[in-house]
Amino acid sequence: MKYHEEIMHRRTFAIISHPDAGKTTLTEKFLLFGGAIQVAGAVKSNKIKKSATSDFMEIERQRGISVATSVMSFEYQDILINLLDTPGHKDFAEDTFRTLTAVDSVILVVDSVNGVEEQTRRLMEVCRMRDTPVIVFINKMDRDGKNRFDLLEEIEKELSISLHPMTWPINSGKDFKGVYNLYDKNIRLFTANTKADEEDTLAISDIDDPILDTRLGSPDAALLREDVELVDGVNGELNVADYLAARVSPVFFGSAINNFGVKEMLDTFIRIAPPPQSRDTSTRKVDVEEEKLSGFIFKIHANLDPKHRDRIAFFRVCSGKFERNKYFHHVRLDKDVRFSNPYSFMARDKSIIQDAYAGDVVGLFDTGNFKIGDTLTEGEDFYFTGIPSFSPEIFKEVINKDPMKTKQLEKGLLQLTDEGVAQLFTQFGGTKKIVGCVGELQFEVIQYRLLHEYGASVEFRALPFYKACWLTSKDSKKLEDFGKFKQVNTGEDKDGNMVYLAQSEWFLNTEMTNNPDIEFHFSSEIHKSA
Ligand code: G4P
């Protein structure tokens, strides 16, 4: 059972939030606790500054930071934590969605002032699709936020999750006095920039302890008692099985910038978060304890040096042991490949590793062999399922401005879309290439990178589509006819799957009603199960 200990020793997760809720700040506090960094400010925010969205230097700088912080590994209480970073900017949401396929659990940060925001909703949708266990951290309690009960209700309703408070706040904003730990039944008094040592903890015999009145003042003590009675009465003890099955999310209140309430959450995370899990593939479930290696690529990052096409492919180990210089089977290409310089990530430093186990993420140098969803095994043929691709929101036709560079353009478009920067569709009955992205910023990135890395000059022409749907039908004739009649609106994605490009919700609904034998899918699985 030598793999067993390695697996049980690991936790692989991501922190997700709407931009500005405090993800970077919380990440930094985690790394400080893990001893991976010594000083605050060492983790650079990976968000693109609002004022600089068209500044390519800014984009390049971001790419540098996000390679360095893609995976942060550190040890805490004898557990090896792999924290996978997710881009904050909404234009890169696809990247975040795919990263969520490589984790076993997430921590969701919600700003107590703003409550549930647009990105929070979309990220949680992905978590729900995958039944990912979620811990919620309600941040910025040092600011005048929403009423705590209203906030919890809003989160439950808007995100369709069931919450279980683990700590309970005593006021907020300038009156914020701390949190009552419903699990350990003690009080942590708020002090700015706490080191989270025992000094700040107020031991109480029970919630009726008169020391509460002395330290908090009677009105606040009374309010806390009322709240706790209510919350405890409804919730009782956390059922860890419900959390692991994604039926219940434990909630913590705190202030990341003040390092307040963070340690409680990290300690609970270590106690309850799932170790690497078994995963479904196109042919069977791969048990995490199997001794043969398997895993998949969930992210590809272009090299920062435009003169070199090498990329870093991020490989999540799902079972067995990854070894440097050992041959593994690249399922899609049906060829054996080996890696002489596989990387692991320790905070901001990359280092070459000899081996890695389930739950780990390995950075593989790639010269164009990988695309997202690719699987490595020790010979068996299967793909990991549940790596979805969502509909882009903006569609543009690619106009080639330099016909001499057509080959380079095609190569560039294929490679950039392999990286998952955008999706590429080809319209039926023509060769019109359509690029679909989540945000405008990506078109600028593509245009810039095609020119600088491939020498291909392009322009984009806006198209009036708002959504792509993947089409399937038991009756292939129906699909074929639909494609013929709706040439302008149909095409195929890079893998040859048929797509319908809808101009508006009205058109989409009409086509769905008129074509009951055709199924319209709003996300495509990169690899469907057999
Ligand atoms: P993000 O990665 O989710 O985008 O958020 P980030 O951690 O960068 O935090 C966004 C802003 O919120 C930062 O301020 C940060 O200092 C602040 N912040 C984080 N946690 C707390 C908290 O508990 N209380 C309060 N009051 N503020 C918090 P900024 O002004 O945008 O950046 P900076 O100049 O402070 O770096």
Side-chain angles (χ1 to χ4, degrees):
M1 258 302 154
K2 62 180 166 155
Y3 290 117
H4 181 72
E5 283 95 55
E6 294 287 352
I7 295 161
M8 297 316 284
H9 178 57
R10 287 167 165 74
R11 302 289 181 274
T12 301
F13 81 110
I15 302 180
I16 54 175
S17 77
H18 187 87
D20 275 347
K23 180 174 71 72
T24 311
T25 312
L26 186 64
T27 301
E28 183 170 284
K29 302 303 175 204
F30 274 14
L31 295 182
L32 281 167
F33 279 123
I37 54 169
Q38 264 68 49
V39 286
V43 180
K44 291 281 170 292
S45 167
N46 73 355
K47 62 191 161 180
I48 292 172
K49 296 234 161 34
K50 286 168 206 99
S51 56
T53 42
S54 302
D55 180 343
F56 290 111
M57 288 318 290
E58 179 66 14
I59 292 171
E60 291 297 288
R61 192 184 67 83
Q62 288 300 329
R63 283 169 58 200
I65 291 171
S66 52
V67 168
T69 62
S70 279
V71 187
M72 290 161 274
S73 300
F74 60 95
E75 289 223 15
Y76 181 75
Q77 291 186 3
D78 286 334
I79 295 286
L80 176 64
I81 298 180
N82 294 312
L83 169 50
L84 274 49
D85 193 26
T86 53
H89 197 284
K90 92 170 199 340
D91 286 8
F92 295 96
E94 275 264 319
D95 211 16
T96 300
F97 297 157
R98 280 188 297 259
T99 298
L100 292 180
T101 66
V103 301
D104 299 294
S105 68
V106 306
I107 289 180
L108 169 70
V109 185
V110 176
D111 182 328
S112 68
V113 183
N114 296 334
V116 174
E117 294 169 274
E118 185 200 341
Q119 275 302 95
T120 334
R121 261 183 225 108
R122 301 188 54 183
L123 291 163
M124 272 305 297
E125 247 171 64
V126 181
C127 292
R128 271 202 314 275
M129 273 170 66
R130 303 180 53 80
D131 288 333
T132 309
V134 177
I135 293 178
V136 178
F137 184 72
I138 298 183
N139 191 27
K140 305 195 186 179
M141 287 307 296
D142 58 317
R143 296 185 55 197
D144 284 321
K146 300 188 175 188
N147 171 293
R148 58 226 174 281
F149 284 106
D150 293 348
L151 189 58
L152 293 187
E153 198 181 318
E154 175 183 321
I155 298 172
E156 287 200 324
K157 226 158 96 195
E158 297 247 353
L159 303 181
S160 311
I161 53 175
S162 180
L163 298 177
H164 186 112
M166 303 294 283
T167 58
W168 194 256
I170 304 158
N171 305 332
S172 67
K174 58 181 182 338
D175 294 330
F176 184 49
K177 292 193 176 155
V179 291
Y180 173 70
N181 189 325
L182 292 149
Y183 182 77
D184 291 334
K185 312 227 179 293
N186 56 27
I187 299 252
R188 170 97 53 198
L189 293 170
F190 177 69
T191 43
N193 287 316
T194 173
K195 300 267 180 316
D197 52 28
E198 300 312 316
E199 276 169 30
D200 319 313
T201 309
L202 183 62
I204 48 175
S205 51
D206 61 49
I207 191 80
D208 293 320
D209 197 324
I211 197 170
L212 278 188
D213 300 81
T214 328
R215 296 296 291 267
L216 303 177
S218 288
D220 285 342
L223 187 64
L224 177 67
R225 286 183 189 116
E226 249 173 60
D227 283 0
V228 168
E229 198 180 322
L230 212 64
V231 177
D232 251 355
V234 178
N235 289 298
E237 286 264 307
L238 173 74
N239 182 331
V240 177
D242 281 344
Y243 155 71
L244 292 173
R247 285 191 290 267
V248 160
S249 294
V251 185
F252 292 83
F253 292 84
S255 168
I257 194 92
N258 289 300
N259 202 4
F260 187 82
V262 176
K263 188 171 182 293
E264 282 84 350
M265 180 170 64
L266 184 55
D267 288 346
T268 306
F269 172 84
I270 291 290
R271 190 167 58 81
I272 65 172
Q277 298 289 293
S278 300
R279 281 168 180 258
D280 288 326
T281 74
S282 50
T283 58
R284 65 187 182 86
K285 194 170 197 116
V286 167
D287 193 311
V288 65
E289 306 227 2
E290 283 178 30
E291 300 206 348
K292 288 205 167 141
L293 174 100
S294 70
F296 65 95
I297 304 290
F298 64 93
K299 176 176 175 141
I300 294 175
H301 219 293
N303 198 310
L304 290 170
D305 183 350
K307 290 194 283 298
H308 297 282
R309 291 270 165 73
D310 337 349
R311 309 182 290 183
I312 300 175
F314 291 85
F315 177 72
R316 149 93 197 208
V317 183
C318 295
S319 68
K321 182 175 172 184
F322 178 93
E323 285 171 79
R324 184 182 178 192
N325 283 325
K326 180 172 171 176
Y327 276 101
F328 293 113
H329 178 56
H330 187 313
V331 175
R332 182 176 55 87
L333 300 182
D334 190 19
K335 83 176 190 192
D336 289 342
V337 286
R338 66 182 180 146
F339 304 91
S340 46
N341 293 317
Y343 278 113
S344 81
F345 304 83
M346 202 71 182
R348 303 201 68 203
D349 301 321
K350 291 201 292 278
S351 54
I352 291 173
I353 49 146
Q354 301 303 325
D355 48 40
Y357 293 88
D360 288 341
V361 172
V362 185
L364 304 174
F365 265 114
D366 173 39
T367 47
N369 278 329
F370 282 125
K371 63 183 197 175
I372 285 167
D374 275 347
T375 300
L376 294 180
T377 66
E378 294 197 24
E380 204 178 330
D381 283 336
F382 57 69
Y383 291 109
F384 285 92
T385 53
I387 307 170
S389 194
F390 293 92
S391 173
E393 288 169 15
I394 306 171
F395 297 82
K396 293 190 182 185
E397 182 187 348
V398 183
I399 313 284
N400 184 358
K401 282 179 43 192
D402 183 355
M404 303 290 286
K405 297 281 170 65
T406 304
K407 271 222 166 88
Q408 285 88 330
L409 171 60
E410 282 187 357
K411 186 169 182 195
L413 276 176
L414 282 180
Q415 291 208 339
L416 292 185
T417 47
D418 277 354
E419 272 178 41
V421 176
Q423 292 182 50
L424 184 64
F425 305 101
T426 310
Q427 205 167 30
F428 278 160
T431 49
K432 196 190 262 185
K433 294 254 183 288
I434 299 172
V435 168
C437 294
V438 180
E440 284 290 346
L441 185 55
Q442 278 150 314
F443 287 100
E444 295 179 34
V445 174
I446 293 168
Q447 192 177 33
Y448 175 84
R449 288 187 56 194
L450 282 173
L451 187 63
H452 286 82
E453 293 170 35
Y454 299 88
S457 167
V458 297
E459 265 177 8
F460 290 108
R461 182 185 296 153
L463 294 171
F465 304 130
Y466 97 109
K467 196 174 255 179
C469 303
W470 284 265
L471 304 181
T472 57
S473 176
K474 288 192 180 73
D475 186 344
S476 58
K477 177 85 175 58
K478 287 252 161 56
L479 268 189
E480 206 180 297
D481 287 348
F482 186 81
K484 268 193 207 137
F485 291 128
K486 305 274 167 208
Q487 270 194 8
V488 179
N489 291 82
T490 49
E492 55 184 27
D493 69 10
K494 253 175 47 173
D495 301 314
N497 300 310
M498 188 165 166
V499 287
Y500 167 65
L501 302 169
Q503 278 115 308
S504 69
E505 200 170 339
W506 186 85
F507 275 105
L508 177 60
N509 288 335
T510 310
E511 296 301 355
M512 285 167 74
T513 316
N514 291 347
N515 296 280
D517 297 326
I518 296 178
E519 282 171 59
F520 291 68
H521 306 273
F522 297 100
S523 69
S524 88
E525 272 265 359
I526 288 183
H527 297 295
K528 297 190 184 75
S529 53

